[in-house]
């Protein structure tokens, strides 16, 4: 028996949970050492004779993938085939807006939508946070404010997720898993329990899991995303991650303007006039420096 285009819905190191085309869920191993399926992958799989396990034999071409550089100079894929990044921040831990900007830039690179979620509003929203959120809205990103603890803003979040396959990202501790838990109404634990039972303990460390939300839509929670730094192909690609910078750049004097010290730079002019956030511009410069450092190492 074989199934074309089963989908990986959870990963536990080299063990996977698959949803088959008919909706059945099975455990699977991976054929060979070379294949590296991730959550969201569509895969070919076949049942291993005389076993409950299935074997993943091939990975279908990905629509997109979220990647980060690994320590060995390669690239690690965190999830695939999503159509939305949900970038979560909160009053606690203290927001690192550079991380938010990197995820938003990653969404632009993947050509998927980015939605910003400010969780833990029960702790209050500082003027500084409110100003940053207003700036993302001005740039054109939807911003939802909610609290998993006091159950506010969750209908809006559920509606934003409906009809999408989203990857939820953000600093550790902002409440990603809590938000999903509340949206699932406790269903998440049930999923985890099934997996650990069938794997007899081998499944206890879940890397990533894709969950079906009650209001429709699916969301991938991946602990690996927290210290994410994207790998860019080129410095030019960095500007494409900042839509207001990309938008202004057509008015720069030089077509290859990097928006640093060049004369006639429309981006710098935009920062000076306040049309472009100076903080977002600083994120752009930081990401550009990181990318150029990486390029020089190659
Ligand atoms: N005050 C408050 N705490 C929250 C809220 N959501 C999550 N937390 C707490 O924040 C901590 C981290 O939550 P978790 O969901 O594990 O964050 P993750 O690392 O992003 O998945 C936990 O102690 C949660 O109880 C919220 O809306 N308000
Ligand atoms: Mg979590
Ligand atoms: Zn410029």
């Amino acid at each position: 028996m074989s199934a074309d285009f089963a989908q990986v819905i959870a990963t536990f190191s080299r063990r996977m949970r698959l949803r088959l085309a008919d909706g059945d869920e099975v455990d699977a191993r991976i054929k060979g050492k070379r294949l590296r399926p991730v959550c969201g992958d569509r895969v070919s799989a076949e049942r291993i004779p005389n076993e409950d396990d299935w074997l993943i034999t091939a990975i279908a071409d990905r629509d997109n993938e979220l990647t980060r550089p690994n320590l060995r100079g390669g690239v690690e894929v965190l999830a695939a085939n999503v159509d939305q990044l949900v970038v979560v921040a909160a009053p606690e831990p203290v927001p690192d807006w550079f991380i938010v900007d990197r995820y938003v830039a990653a969404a632009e690179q993947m050509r998927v939508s980015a939605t910003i979620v400010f969780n833990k509003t029960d702790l209050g929203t500082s003027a500084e946070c409110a100003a940053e959120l207003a700036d993302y809205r001005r740039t054109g990103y939807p911003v939802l404010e909610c609290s998993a603890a006091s159950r506010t803003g969750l209908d809006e979040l559920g509606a934003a997720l409906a009809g999408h396959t989203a990857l939820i990202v953000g600093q550790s501790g902002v409440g990603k898993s809590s938000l999903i838990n509340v949206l699932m109404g406790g269903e998440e634990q049930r999923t985890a329990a099934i997996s650990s039972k069938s794997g007899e303990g081998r499944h206890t460390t879940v890397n990533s899991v894709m969950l079906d939300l009650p209001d429709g839509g699916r969301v991938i929670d991946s602990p690996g995303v927290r210290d994410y730094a994207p790998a860019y192909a080129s410095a030019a690609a960095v500007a494409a991650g900042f839509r207001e910078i990309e938008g202004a750049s057509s008015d720069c004097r030089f077509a290859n303007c990097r928006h640093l010290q060049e004369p006639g730079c429309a981006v710098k002019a935009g920062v000076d006039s306040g049309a472009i956030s100076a903080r977002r511009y600083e994120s752009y410069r930081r990401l550009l420096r990181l990318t150029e450092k990486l390029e020089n190492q190659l």
Side-chain angles (χ1 to χ4, degrees):
M1 194 170 26
S2 78
D4 264 324
F5 302 130
Q7 189 167 36
V8 177
I9 58 167
T11 66
F12 323 82
S13 182
R14 294 285 287 172
R15 294 190 57 80
M16 314 261 130
R17 186 107 180 132
L18 295 184
R19 177 169 302 147
L20 305 179
D22 63 8
D24 276 1
E25 292 181 12
V26 297
D27 288 330
R29 305 201 294 264
I30 305 162
K31 185 175 184 178
K33 293 253 187 296
R34 223 170 33 83
L35 285 182
R36 296 190 184 282
V38 299
C39 212
D41 263 327
R42 293 178 296 261
V43 298
S44 304
E46 59 195 32
R47 187 167 196 156
I48 301 172
N50 310 315
E51 281 193 42
D52 290 335
D53 270 13
W54 285 56
L55 192 69
I56 296 172
T57 54
I59 303 172
D61 287 344
R62 291 170 177 156
D63 298 336
N64 56 48
E65 50 188 31
L66 183 72
T67 60
R68 70 166 173 205
N70 66 21
L71 298 172
R72 295 174 299 281
V75 166
E76 182 188 355
V77 182
L78 296 170
N81 302 326
V82 302
D83 64 12
Q84 185 184 43
L85 285 200
V86 173
V87 188
V88 185
E92 251 180 48
V94 174
D96 182 339
W97 299 108
F98 179 53
I99 292 183
V100 174
D101 286 336
R102 289 191 318 196
Y103 280 122
V104 169
E108 296 287 357
Q109 281 242 311
M110 295 165 72
R111 299 183 186 283
V112 304
S113 60
T115 298
I116 290 153
V117 170
F118 193 70
N119 185 36
K120 309 196 190 183
T121 51
D122 56 291
L123 300 179
T125 306
S126 68
E128 193 225 304
C129 287
E132 293 298 346
L133 297 178
D135 197 69
Y136 286 111
R137 286 192 179 105
R138 183 174 65 138
T139 309
Y141 297 105
V143 177
L144 304 176
E145 298 179 59
C146 62
S147 165
S150 57
R151 308 276 201 272
T152 53
L154 295 165
D155 290 347
E156 289 80 358
L157 179 57
L161 290 167
H164 287 284
T165 299
L167 175 64
I168 191 163
V169 298
Q171 286 165 266
S172 185
V174 292
K176 299 180 293 296
S177 300
S178 303
L179 286 170
I180 293 177
N181 259 323
V182 175
L183 288 174
M184 296 290 294
E187 287 287 298
E188 188 186 9
Q189 286 90 335
R190 193 181 62 84
T191 309
I194 289 170
S195 304
S196 82
K197 183 167 138 266
S198 59
E200 279 150 353
R202 289 172 298 181
H203 282 182
T204 44
T205 45
V206 177
N207 295 139
S208 301
V209 61
M210 177 190 274
L211 297 157
D212 284 297
L213 298 168
D215 292 343
R218 320 169 82 190
V219 61
I220 299 176
D221 189 12
S222 169
V225 303
R226 61 185 167 236
D227 49 358
Y228 169 78
Y232 285 103
S234 71
V238 175
F242 293 77
R243 27 169 102 153
E244 69 277 46
I245 291 177
E246 179 81 345
S249 67
S250 54
D251 292 328
C252 292
R253 185 176 304 162
F254 303 114
N256 62 350
C257 186
R258 286 153 76 239
H259 324 304
L260 297 175
Q261 306 293 341
E262 294 89 340
C265 174
V267 172
K268 289 279 279 190
V271 174
D272 290 342
S273 76
I276 292 174
S277 148
R279 197 203 51 71
R280 289 257 303 160
Y281 174 67
E282 199 41 50
S283 283
Y284 161 76
R285 288 176 36 134
R286 246 174 104 179
L287 201 50
L288 190 64
R289 279 198 299 274
L290 271 175
T291 303
E292 287 178 340
K293 221 167 95 187
L294 227 81
E295 274 183 336
N296 291 336
Q297 285 167 4
L298 298 177

